[in-house]
């Protein structure tokens, strides 16, 4: 459980990979206990109105939700209530940073063997946030010079999931070995079983 839980917090949602901009980064990571949880699911809409975004939606599988100080939430963009599209006619998607006290955590995570990940859903409704609380995971949007910020997100996500799966598999092997030897100890070879009349 430690392999999944710890990695989800520190690697999948790092303060280093995503370029939030200096002010937002300072606001979030000045807290030594800062922890981000989020979902790749596009579960909300963000309406740009009079210089601020109005965010509503619900998002699933936010690992570490119970420990998080902030949440990331993907939204389709609107401007004054009208959908925004890119040059190909697709909805424009942005991610947003929401504070813990701005969301409601929905208790819906009770999968056997994975309870400790705390991968609950969360929601918010008509939340007004400033424009600087949005970001995009695109290399061309990066303003910081370090190469880590330009690492392709898909490959990064696949890498962290690989480590998670290896950790889970290693623990499973340990549990199977432990179970095997316990079963072996309980067997009493050569002991006669009394006849049942």
């Amino acid at each position: 459980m430690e392999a999944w839980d710890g990695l989800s917090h520190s690697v999948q949602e790092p303060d280093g990979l995503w370029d939030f901009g200096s002010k937002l980064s300072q606001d979030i990571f000045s807290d030594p206990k800062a922890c981000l949880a989020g979902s790749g699911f596009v579960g909300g809409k963000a309406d740009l109105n009079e210089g601020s975004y109005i965010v509503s939606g619900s998002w699933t599988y936010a690992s570490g939700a119970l420990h998080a100080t902030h949440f990331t939430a993907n939204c389709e963009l609107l401007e004054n209530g009208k959908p925004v599209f890119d040059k190909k006619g697709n909805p424009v998607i942005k991610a947003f940073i929401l504070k813990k006290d701005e969301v409601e955590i929905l208790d819906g995570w009770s999968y056997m063997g994975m309870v400790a990940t705390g991968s609950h859903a969360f929601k918010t409704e008509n939340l007004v946030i400033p424009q600087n609380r949005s970001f995009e995971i695109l290399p061309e949007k990066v303003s910081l010079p370090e190469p880590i910020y330009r690492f392709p997100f898909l490959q990064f996500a696949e890498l962290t999931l690989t480590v998670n799966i290896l950790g889970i598999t290693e623990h499973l092997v340990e549990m199977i070995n432990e179970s095997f030897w316990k079963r072996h100890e309980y067997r009493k070879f050569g002991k006669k079983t009394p006849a049942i009349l």
Side-chain angles (χ1 to χ4, degrees), residues 36-102:
L36 275 69
S39 169
F41 177 63
V42 182
K45 296 189 184 297
D47 190 0
L48 183 59
N49 194 304
E50 297 183 0
S52 298
Y53 283 107
I54 304 171
V55 177
S56 295
S58 62
W59 299 266
T60 53
Y61 308 132
S63 293
L66 300 179
H67 307 289
T69 56
H70 296 78
F71 290 78
T72 62
N74 290 334
C75 297
E76 291 185 13
L77 289 193
L78 308 175
E79 282 191 16
N80 298 313
K82 296 180 180 179
V84 178
F85 299 98
D86 62 18
K87 294 177 181 178
K88 296 181 179 179
N90 299 315
V92 174
I93 309 295
K94 274 194 175 184
F96 291 82
I97 296 288
L98 311 179
K99 298 177 182 178
K100 184 173 186 175
D101 60 6
E102 295 174 337

Side-chain angles (χ1 to χ4, degrees), residues 96-165:
F96 291 82
I97 296 288
L98 311 179
K99 298 177 182 178
K100 184 173 186 175
D101 60 6
E102 295 174 337
V103 306
E104 178 185 350
I105 295 175
L106 307 174
D107 185 1
W109 186 253
S110 58
Y111 292 90
M112 186 178 73
M114 298 180 72
V115 173
T117 69
S119 300
H120 299 286
F122 63 99
K123 72 174 186 177
T124 194
E125 189 172 348
N126 295 324
L127 174 67
V128 179
I129 60 173
Q131 289 190 56
N132 77 325
R133 298 252 300 268
S134 68
F135 65 97
E136 295 175 86
I137 310 172
L138 297 170
E140 61 269 23
K141 299 288 184 178
V142 173
S143 61
L144 299 171
E146 290 80 5
I148 186 64
Y149 297 102
R150 301 180 190 280
F151 194 89
F153 182 77
L154 178 60
Q155 286 74 17
F156 183 81
E158 290 171 342
L159 179 63
T160 61
L161 289 174
T162 300
V163 175
N164 289 338
I165 292 166

